[in-house]
Every structure is written in C-alpha cells, then in structure tokens.
C-alpha cells in the first residue's frame, strides 16, 4: 500500500471517529440547550409582537437568529467531518490507480486530508470567533479539498497508473 493511500485511509478513519465523537458530545451536552434557546426566543418574539412591543420582539428574533446560526453550524460541522472522512476512505481505496507522479499524489492526498479537517473546523469556529478569520479558514479548507479532488479526477482521467 502506497504512503498516500495509507494517509487517506488512516486519516479518513480518524476524521470519522472525530466527527462522530463531536456529534455525540453535541447531542448529549449542547443541542438541547440550543434548541431550547431557539424556542424560547421565538416564543418571546411572538409574545412581544402580540403585545405591540416591537423593539423587544426584534431583540428576541435577533436572539433566535443567533441561536439558529450556531445550531446550523454545529450540526453541519459534524456531518461535514463524517462525510469528508468517508470521501477520504473511498478515494484512498482506489488512490493507487490515480495516474500522477508519486510527489503529486502525496500532495493531493495531503491537501485532501488537511482541507477535510480545516473546512469544518472553520465552520465551527464561526460560532466562536466574530469576523472573517473563521470564514477564511473554512474557505481555504474548501478550496484545498476542491483542488485536490480536481487533481485526483485528472489522474483518473489520464488512465490507469503504470506499475
């Protein structure tokens, strides 16, 4: 088994365990609190609107939007880590057939692994860090995965790798 193939399969398994562990932690310790906050702020918003207290209604709806923003990213990050892990494993299984030289194959594998880890990390950091830094990290990870997959596709399009 080639080093790039080992890297993809082992990193894929590790990323899958990480994503599932994050999902379990989130389901046990954070999801219900976030959903409760969303429900409470939405209820408060409607009650304040019915009372014609529009500033309080807007504030409650803003709280709902912030909680929903956090909820969506926390659910997305868990599924992205696991989905990208499965992609790493599947690509790893057939990676020895990619018709690129060994150095490019290693770069593509490393870019897939690093991008698959930092894309969801950037997404979850968006709930912690205000500003463009987390969005930039997520974008860099997405670009790395996309570029590496393009290289892999090119390697497959070139035909079977000579042994």
């Amino acid at each position: 088994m080639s080093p790039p193939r080992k890297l993809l399969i082992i990193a894929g398994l590790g990323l899958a365990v990480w994503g599932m562990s994050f999902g379990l932690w989130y389901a046990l310790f954070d999801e219900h609190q976030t959903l409760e906050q969303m429900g409470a702020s939405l209820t408060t918003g409607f009650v304040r609107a019915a009372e014609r207290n529009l500033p309080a209604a807007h504030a409650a709806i803003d709280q709902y939007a912030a909680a929903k923003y956090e909820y969506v990213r926390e659910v997305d990050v868990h599924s992205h880590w696991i989905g990208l892990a499965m992609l790493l494993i599947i690509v790893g299984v057939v990676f020895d057939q990619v018709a690129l030289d060994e150095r490019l194959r290693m770069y593509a594998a490393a870019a897939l692994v690093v991008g698959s880890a930092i894309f969801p990390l950037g997404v979850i950091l968006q709930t912690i860090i205000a500003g463009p830094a987390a969005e930039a990290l997520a974008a860099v990870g997405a670009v790395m995965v996309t570029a590496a997959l393009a290289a892999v596709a090119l390697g497959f399009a070139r035909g079977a790798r000579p042994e």
Side-chain angles (χ1 to χ4, degrees):
M1 187 181 317
S2 68
R5 183 177 183 193
K6 282 182 191 176
L7 173 65
L8 288 169
I9 293 172
I10 291 169
L13 291 171
L15 198 58
V17 169
W18 177 257
M20 288 181 211
S21 298
F22 178 83
L24 179 62
W25 171 85
Y26 178 67
L28 292 175
F29 299 110
D30 194 27
E31 183 175 28
H32 296 289
Q33 291 84 349
T34 303
L35 289 171
E36 184 178 334
Q37 181 184 7
M38 287 169 51
S41 58
L42 199 54
T43 301
T44 301
F46 286 129
V47 168
R48 297 300 172 251
E51 295 171 348
R52 297 180 190 237
N53 184 349
L54 291 183
H58 285 250
I61 297 300
D62 288 343
Q63 288 176 342
Y64 167 80
K68 178 72 172 176
Y69 180 86
E70 178 181 330
Y71 176 75
V72 167
R73 273 147 191 80
E74 288 172 338
V75 170
D76 282 354
V77 74
H78 140 74
S79 60
H80 279 87
W81 265 323
I82 295 169
L84 288 165
M86 297 303 109
L87 178 71
L88 292 177
I89 294 167
I90 291 167
V91 170
V93 168
V94 296
F95 201 70
D96 285 342
Q97 302 304 312
V98 174
L100 297 172
D101 69 48
E102 196 63 26
R103 185 179 50 103
L104 286 176
R105 287 165 28 84
M106 193 61 180
Y107 286 151
L112 273 171
V113 168
V114 172
S116 294
I118 68 170
F119 165 57
L121 180 62
V123 171
I124 195 67
L125 286 176
Q126 291 174 18
T127 65
I128 300 167
I129 301 171
E135 291 175 9
L137 184 65
V140 167
V143 167
M144 288 177 76
V145 169
T146 303
L149 285 175
V152 170
L154 176 66
F156 280 126
R158 292 173 70 188
R161 190 177 85 144
E163 295 299 324

